[in-house]
Amino acid sequence: MNDENINKMYELAKEQYAELGVYTDMAIANMNRVKISLHCWQTDDVGGFEKPDATLSGGGIQATGNYPGKATTIEQMRADLEKVMQLLPGKQRLNLHASYGEFSGKDVDRDAVGTEHFQGWIDWAKVQGLGLDFNGTYFSHPRANSGFTLSSKDESTRQFWVEHMRRCREIGAEMGKQLGTPCIHNTWVPDGSKDVPIDRNGYRAQLVKSLDEGFTKEFSKEFLKDAVESKLFGIGAESMTVGSHDFYLGYAIKNNKLICLDNGHFHPTEQVGDKISSCLHFIDEALLHVTRPVRWDSDHVVTLNEEVQLIASEIVRNNFFDRVNTGLDFFDASINRVGAYVIGTRAAQKAFLIALLEPTSMLLNLEEEGKYFERLAMLEELKTKPFGAVWDYYCLMNDVPAGEEYIAEVQQYEKEVLSKR
Ligand code: RNT
Ligand code: ZN
């Protein structure tokens, strides 16, 4: 669509929304408050760069597919990330895993990672105007093969991972300090048991002990915020996950940590969108891993579905922008990875824009007056309001492709860059 038509469509949409008391210009301005943290691991199927040809192993997570063009160096990865960001309206953040350091061919084990391995990322992020977030990597490692890391009963294994965690927090704090925006450091461990364990309690005690040890050092919230991520089960850990939701919710409340809610990590009919307002009564801030679980925690590319919509609506309705940090967590190696990234991020952004275009006070009034037919009818009508016109205009304002125009740009990047790898 040409710019003139985008503008015309927007003017009409603006009038329609104004009839509902919704100001589209304001909704667009509020999109500045939505900063999505891009998960670096979509570029290379969670492989990382510790060794040449490193691939994801263990941890019960899986990237399926073998689409050509995967980033195999940090330079390629940065090029892909830059391309992705050129196709997204607004400003984002980048979420790195510890396995993505610049180790320059050296064997740097997890208990030896340091800021020096991430200085290149910090410098690059500064140039790009991005904030960085960080994660310890507790999988794809021989010391994780037993199925237990921070909850291990083997003292040297446990200490090894605690040291990893301590170092990751140092790295995160340095990122936050140098970039002038707090780094959210997230801890997810794959620890669990394939078959029925006897000592659930014992492993959980080990995990508490390790977290306490890893969190001993205090950092200013200006630089570092710590989150803990729960899970229901993983492949190979079907019978018990040490870090369950109850476990981490309790830990986070008691120790003033952020809770990370990954919407692939719950029973299929539970909704993270419903959990936000529960958690935030007892916890200052949350971190989200937005993903699309298809029948299990499959981490499909995020699409604009009701689950993601509820998450965005809850943040917007309650003005939780400063208390909910939104990150993505999906990895699909079966389609163009850059394209997958753009689809998923734009879907999450669309969910926020739709939420910002909701006549919330009108709906709330209907609810409080007990007018539930009217509330449901309005919710249905809102689904077919001209959201697309506002989205396209928002993209145009941000100088990024509107509508489906990004498809051609991804195709061109594939032709010129990805297919030559
Ligand atoms: C795994 C967790 C975790 C990972 C990343 C790679 O189930 O969701 O967040 O996906 O750390
Ligand atoms: Zn996650």
Side-chain angles (χ1 to χ4, degrees):
M1 211 185 332
N2 65 35
D3 294 3
E4 198 188 319
N5 282 344
I6 292 180
N7 281 311
K8 270 196 221 156
M9 300 280 279
Y10 179 68
E11 286 310 315
L12 289 172
K14 188 173 172 167
E15 278 178 36
Q16 272 197 59
Y17 280 107
E19 283 169 23
L20 301 170
V22 171
Y23 299 101
T24 51
D25 289 342
M26 202 146 84
I28 288 175
N30 274 324
M31 280 301 283
N32 285 335
R33 303 182 70 190
V34 179
K35 283 213 171 55
I36 296 190
S37 194
L38 303 184
H39 55 311
C40 75
W41 51 95
Q42 163 59 33
T43 58
D44 78 327
D45 320 334
V46 212
F49 295 108
E50 290 170 312
K51 300 205 166 57
D53 304 322
T55 50
L56 169 64
S57 68
I61 51 178
Q62 241 153 45
T64 50
N66 196 15
Y67 198 84
K70 172 171 105 165
T72 55
T73 63
I74 288 190
E75 289 65 41
Q76 290 181 354
M77 190 174 166
R78 287 187 189 141
D80 289 358
L81 287 163
E82 286 172 29
K83 186 74 224 173
V84 168
M85 289 182 293
Q86 282 165 20
L87 302 176
L88 301 174
K91 269 271 152 222
Q92 291 76 42
R93 299 175 64 84
L94 177 67
N95 191 9
L96 286 169
H97 239 285
S99 48
Y100 288 79
E102 289 181 278
F103 304 116
S104 340
K106 289 196 201 83
D107 235 333
V108 180
D109 210 346
R110 302 275 168 86
D111 63 346
V113 287
T115 307
E116 65 276 21
H117 307 119
F118 292 89
Q119 191 55 50
W121 278 113
I122 299 175
D123 296 341
W124 176 81
K126 201 172 262 172
V127 174
Q128 304 292 320
L130 296 171
L132 290 179
D133 298 313
F134 201 59
N135 303 262
T137 310
Y138 299 85
F139 48 83
S140 305
H141 192 281
R143 288 239 191 206
N145 288 347
S146 68
F148 298 97
T149 64
L150 289 177
S151 71
S152 176
K153 290 189 182 184
D154 174 70
E155 189 56 16
S156 97
T157 300
R158 197 184 69 79
Q159 280 300 336
F160 174 87
W161 291 112
V162 169
E163 183 59 23
H164 179 59
M165 183 178 167
R166 290 196 182 114
R167 285 168 174 266
C168 286
R169 294 182 71 231
E170 295 281 352
I171 296 167
E174 189 58 29
M175 289 173 164
K177 193 173 187 176
Q178 289 193 35
L179 295 170
T181 165
C183 167
I184 314 265
H185 159 254
N186 180 47
T187 300
W188 171 73
V189 296
D191 299 26
S193 170
K194 181 182 172 88
D195 225 320
V196 187
I198 302 304
D199 196 12
R200 294 168 191 264
N201 184 47
Y203 288 111
R204 295 200 164 115
Q206 293 297 91
L207 185 51
V208 171
K209 184 158 118 188
S210 297
L211 292 170
D212 287 352
E213 289 173 18
F215 286 133
T216 312
K217 185 163 174 185
E218 300 260 354
F219 293 92
S220 155
K221 285 222 151 152
E222 268 175 70
F223 305 144
L224 187 77
K225 294 178 183 176
D226 294 296
V228 284
E229 180 180 4
S230 71
K231 187 158 171 165
L232 178 64
F233 83 99
I235 301 293
E238 291 85 355
S239 297
M240 185 226 10
T241 289
V242 185
S244 60
H245 183 52
D246 317 62
F247 177 92
Y248 279 125
L249 186 60
Y251 191 89
I253 293 171
K254 187 168 175 190
N255 297 286
N256 197 19
K257 300 296 170 201
L258 278 67
I259 186 80
C260 172
L261 303 169
D262 179 315
N263 61 305
H265 290 189
F266 295 91
H267 287 279
T269 60
E270 283 186 84
Q271 288 191 296
V272 161
D274 180 61
K275 295 179 187 297
I276 295 171
S277 58
S278 296
C279 293
L280 290 190
H281 274 286
F282 307 103
I283 291 182
D284 290 344
E285 283 186 51
L287 169 65
L288 301 181
H289 274 187
V290 181
T291 186
R292 179 163 53 108
V294 176
R295 304 193 188 281
W296 71 290
D297 183 26
S298 61
D299 287 311
H300 277 64
V301 179
V302 168
T303 55
L304 181 56
N305 60 20
E306 286 196 344
E307 199 176 336
V308 177
Q309 194 54 67
L310 180 63
I311 291 172
S313 298
E314 282 297 302
I315 296 171
V316 171
R317 286 172 186 157
N318 298 294
N319 195 16
F320 283 154
F321 289 104
D322 297 333
R323 296 182 63 198
V324 179
N325 306 275
T326 306
L328 302 171
D329 186 6
F330 56 82
F331 25 97
D332 187 343
S334 72
I335 57 174
N336 181 310
R337 294 171 185 77
V338 169
Y341 223 156
V342 178
I343 294 172
T345 315
R346 283 171 74 119
Q349 292 179 309
K350 284 176 186 165
F352 276 98
L353 186 56
I354 290 174
L356 285 161
L357 290 167
E358 179 186 271
T360 309
S361 51
M362 175 218 275
L363 292 167
L364 183 63
N365 284 341
L366 293 174
E367 179 165 294
E368 290 182 346
E369 288 164 13
K371 294 184 171 160
Y372 298 147
F373 148 68
E374 291 83 350
R375 180 184 64 183
L376 184 59
M378 271 318 297
L379 285 172
E380 280 302 289
E381 287 312 306
L382 285 168
K383 289 180 180 170
T384 49
K385 293 290 167 203
F387 158 72
V390 182
W391 169 258
D392 286 344
Y393 180 77
Y394 171 57
C395 290
L396 183 68
M397 292 288 90
N398 278 273
D399 231 359
V400 300
E404 66 275 19
E405 282 165 24
Y406 72 88
I407 299 173
E409 294 216 22
V410 172
Q411 286 171 333
Q412 197 188 338
Y413 186 71
E414 174 161 44
K415 200 165 143 217
E416 289 169 4
V417 181
L418 301 177
S419 68
K420 300 197 171 129
R421 287 182 182 163

